[in-house]
Amino acid sequence: MKKEAVERGWEPYLEELRARIQQAMGALVVSVVSIEGGMNNLLYKVMLEDGRRCVAKRYCQDDRSRLRREYDVLSVLHEKGFAGVPVPLARFDDLHTGIYSFAEGRQVDACDFSTRELDATVDYFTRLQSILLRDVTTELLRAQSSAFSLNEVTDLILERVKPFKEGREEMAPGIEEFIKESKALSIVEDLLTQSKKQFSARFYQEVANEDKRLSSVDSGPHNMLWDDEGNLTVLDFEYA
């Protein structure tokens, strides 16, 4: 890892990270090891001298406020006694890094879900939906790609369709031909135009605050860890 860190210019960052974690956690850092698998961010497994483990997540820099979004939502869930998500331990905004509890577990493909995994997933979403906005004192950012009115839903769908219509989105074999033959994109646009006329009276009406709920957004099986007892830990709240 050290050679790779030097080549990519990470060594100064890792040295500073080690010092920050030691100060925040009150224990010496024994090791910082890169974790494979992150698509947009850099992940490190941190081992402390007292035996504790944690994860350092260095966020990709874009316009999505990934660190603030994830850390704030996890802080709210932790305050509410919400189990099954990483515990936020420290954040270093200038390093674009959050420190979280380390979660043991393995991924399970959706096709291999048993009743146990399905029940745990339903329980997770039920508990998440039980948290009311009025009971959250932290000012959370709006979820990425959220829509609070029919108009916003329409705009979101059209934005998703646009890359396919303009040929900027890579498509699986046969999909492009299907879209052309079926005229699917035109059908979608026509239906959205009709819906705007049909629901014109409340097309721009926003969902009331009391009806809004928290959403982890990207919480599919690829962001779920399962331990041997079937307990679920949901990861990745960057869009929440």
Side-chain angles (χ1 to χ4, degrees), residues 27-43:
L28 293 175
V29 172
V30 176
S31 64
V32 180
V33 180
S34 181
I35 299 175
E36 297 286 337
M39 296 293 291
N40 299 306
N41 316 291
L42 300 175
L43 298 172

Side-chain angles (χ1 to χ4, degrees), residues 56-140:
K57 187 172 185 178
R58 187 182 187 186
Y59 292 84
C60 167
Q61 291 306 289
D62 55 22
D63 61 352
R64 297 184 177 184
S65 302
R66 296 170 186 263
L67 169 57
R68 177 188 169 186
R69 192 182 302 277
E70 180 160 46
Y71 199 92
D72 284 356
V73 170
L74 288 176
S75 295
V76 168
L77 295 180
H78 182 56
E79 290 169 4
K80 300 295 181 185
F82 203 98
V85 296
V87 178
L89 302 173
R91 62 186 283 180
F92 314 122
D93 288 21
D94 59 324
L95 297 180
H96 314 298
T97 300
I99 310 299
Y100 306 96
S101 59
F102 185 84
E104 291 279 8
R106 58 186 176 83
Q107 288 185 329
V108 177
D109 289 336
C111 59
D112 294 325
F113 269 27
S114 67
T115 303
R116 183 173 71 171
E117 282 79 30
L118 290 173
D119 286 344
T121 301
V122 170
D123 179 65
Y124 161 75
F125 283 112
T126 300
R127 288 185 291 120
L128 190 64
Q129 293 293 297
S130 70
I131 299 176
L132 304 179
L133 187 64
R134 65 169 181 263
D135 297 327
V136 177
T137 57
T138 303
E139 185 178 349
L140 299 176

Side-chain angles (χ1 to χ4, degrees), residues 207-223:
V207 174
N209 280 341
E210 58 265 27
D211 294 325
K212 294 177 182 178
R213 295 294 186 272
L214 292 179
S215 172
S216 47
V217 179
D218 192 16
S219 53
H222 60 294
N223 280 326

Side-chain angles (χ1 to χ4, degrees), residues 10 34 62 67 101 110 138 163 166 191 193 202 205-206 227 238:
W10 298 344
S34 181
D62 55 22
L67 169 57
S101 59
T138 303
E166 296 177 351
L191 288 173
T193 300
R202 55 191 180 91
Q205 181 179 334
E206 188 171 304
D227 65 16
E238 294 175 42

Side-chain angles (χ1 to χ4, degrees), residues 159-197:
E159 189 64 28
R160 293 291 182 90
V161 166
K162 190 176 180 179
F164 293 96
K165 187 176 181 180
E166 296 177 351
R168 293 187 284 112
E169 191 75 22
E170 185 176 346
M171 290 179 272
I175 297 297
E176 186 173 4
E177 184 178 349
F178 166 77
I179 289 177
K180 288 180 179 179
E181 291 181 355
S182 66
K183 299 181 180 179
L185 300 185
S186 297
I187 292 173
V188 169
E189 292 178 335
D190 289 343
L191 288 173
L192 291 176
T193 300
Q194 292 175 28
S195 70
K196 188 170 184 177
K197 294 179 181 178

